[in-house]
Amino acid sequence: MDGDNNAGKAAVIIEDIVGFGRFQIIVTVCLFLLANMSAVSTVLFMSFGSYNPGWRCNDLIYSNTSFIDNTTAIIDSYNISHVIESTKDDSSSQSHPISKDPVVEVKSSEYIMHGNCELFESCKRIEFNPTSETIVSEWGLLCDKQWISSIIISIQMAGGFVGSSVVGHLGDAFGRRSVLYGALLANLCLNIISIFSVTWEMFVIIRFFLGISCSLVMTLYYIFGVEFVPQKWRSVLIGIPAWSINSVLWALICMILKNWRHIQIVMVIMGVVGFVPVVWVPESLRWLEVKSTSKKFERAAKKVARTNGKQLPSLEILQEMANSSKKYNDVITEKKFYNFFHLFKKGYAKYTITMIIPWFTIVSFYYALEFGIKSLHGYFYINLLVSPILTIPLSPFPIFLPNLVGRRMATLIFGGVITTCLMGAAILEYIEASESIKSIGVPGLVFIAKACLDGMWCTLTVLTLELYPTVVRGIAISWGNTMGRFGSIVAPFLSPDQSHGANVSYTIMAAIMFISCGIIIGLPETKGMTLKDTLDTKKNRNNKNDDYKRSDDYVEDDDDQC
């Protein structure tokens, strides 16, 4: 291991020699779209899986079909073919005539809204709408089993919490590339196994490990990508609507297939496509510079330069360039293993603690709104598709806002819009408005809030990444994601539900977001800051070029500015 002799070379190569070219474009596609595609579909799976497509009881209904739909006011008539046997004693396999003394009297032309648990629990033969086969219809997760859908989501998110807790250590210890593609391979294998789930208990165990693998992918793909690009392109990468694009693709797949096993098969295909680039994508130059040997570093650097059509100088010349530049004078003097405790060193502890509430709020609210789509006014599949589509036009804002007004102010702007939209949704839910108004107004405000949560998540990620040096950057973003994943565990229980006072949920979420914005005000602005590679030594802390010395104070070339 001779990474100590490589200090500053990666920055010279990326900032001064290769810039942003063909290599960065290819890597961005491989990481932000292909690798992320499998993770997004896996995370969002339960937004479809927890949807109740509607049901009827053959004990009571023998004429025109009547579905009991817990999720939408729009109920149609369908031909039934999918049957779930009740767990209660059923001495006959034939459909029963109408009971002489039914729990609920149902007429052939009457529709029952928002469920009827007495009927569901007393019925011996339940038939679900076959046009949509979900986890709910597969295992009858309604009424006394309705909590299972939320538990499945929470356990999946608990897996994400575990993954976020270790991804920083794994990525910094074994490399971004190795851990990222290892997680993609695990995700692929687990999705294959999930197709053959025979009970919800088996399914939920698989979801836990899928949560771990997705967390590794979703944390590392951006860190991996940003370490290949010049400083001025960092916020551009985070503004790429990779999540939204893949979410639209996911929604279209759900609308077309409407069968959870068939959707899982497509997810496996996505996993294969995302994993294939492993044969070409090299390890991060910044990580190799800090952790690996000169030979591995040089081999990866030559691939980057060759792909961009640039000529790479010798390592000796590169080191001279690094040593002579104030931008890259953060010399590595020791090898050591870093962990969460290093985030609490002097100069970083206040930021590490301050980040807890904003990360928790953003991630928990995002997933609460995402998994709550099934309970919004209007048609489920339209809402599922419109939600990510609306995010795409707003995706340029996380690109230019951080460079225009700064990372912190951009985050606060998104937070203000979110608070306003949530309060608007709460008011619409509270007042006595027509269903047509609520079917447009409430989902519209929720989708705007959700899109801004996506943008706020992006800008907070940039802010977090730029507050910490390379040796703990992965751990820092892992810390933020861990706090967020902890929030995502409770997200299913925060989701606004029409039957449990949605206006109260929206009001509470708006108040908490307002508090989070107040906390973010206390963070420093990182616009224009040069990425550091190591934690400051005592000597470096006393040096005039401290942690947050602005790059425009000592970079002469305006093209190098963020």
Side-chain angles (χ1 to χ4, degrees), residues 139-299:
W139 292 300
L141 306 183
L142 292 175
C143 296
D144 61 337
K145 292 184 179 180
Q146 189 171 357
W147 59 273
I148 295 176
S149 294
S150 296
I151 289 296
I152 291 174
I153 297 173
S154 290
I155 290 178
Q156 173 184 303
M157 294 305 177
F161 178 85
V162 173
S164 294
S165 301
V166 300
V167 62
H169 299 293
L170 295 176
D172 289 338
F174 301 105
R176 287 42 163 146
R177 175 180 177 271
S178 300
V179 178
L180 174 67
Y181 283 100
L184 278 173
L185 181 59
N187 192 76
L188 170 62
C189 295
L190 288 167
N191 272 318
I192 293 175
I193 298 173
S194 183
I195 296 173
F196 303 99
S197 297
V198 293
T199 63
W200 70 263
E201 290 89 351
M202 174 182 175
F203 182 80
V204 74
I205 292 173
I206 297 172
R207 299 312 297 180
F208 174 77
F209 292 102
L210 280 169
I212 295 177
S213 63
C214 287
S215 178
L216 298 179
V217 173
M218 293 170 60
T219 302
L220 280 176
Y221 86 91
Y222 177 73
I223 298 175
F224 194 15
V226 78
E227 291 183 346
F228 276 120
V229 303
Q231 175 183 315
K232 68 177 70 175
W233 287 89
R234 287 183 228 147
S235 61
V236 175
L237 285 190
I238 199 63
I240 295 174
W243 176 277
S244 299
I245 292 172
N246 286 320
S247 296
V248 172
L249 176 62
W250 156 252
L252 288 172
I253 292 171
C254 291
M255 290 184 70
I256 295 171
L257 298 180
K258 298 181 181 179
N259 182 302
W260 74 273
R261 292 188 193 272
H262 297 167
I263 292 171
Q264 290 261 210
I265 293 173
V266 175
M267 289 164 58
V268 169
I269 297 174
M270 289 179 175
V272 173
V273 173
F275 182 75
V276 168
V278 69
V279 300
W280 183 83
V281 177
E283 182 56 87
S284 163
L285 293 184
R286 287 186 178 273
W287 185 86
L288 290 173
E289 178 183 46
V290 175
K291 298 285 188 175
S292 190
T293 64
S294 293
K295 289 183 179 179
K296 291 182 179 179
F297 174 83
E298 184 176 15
R299 186 163 57 248

Side-chain angles (χ1 to χ4, degrees), residues 522-537:
L523 295 173
E525 180 53 67
T526 62
K527 177 186 175 183
M529 186 180 71
T530 298
L531 288 178
K532 294 179 68 63
D533 284 325
T534 61
L535 290 168
D536 286 338
T537 61

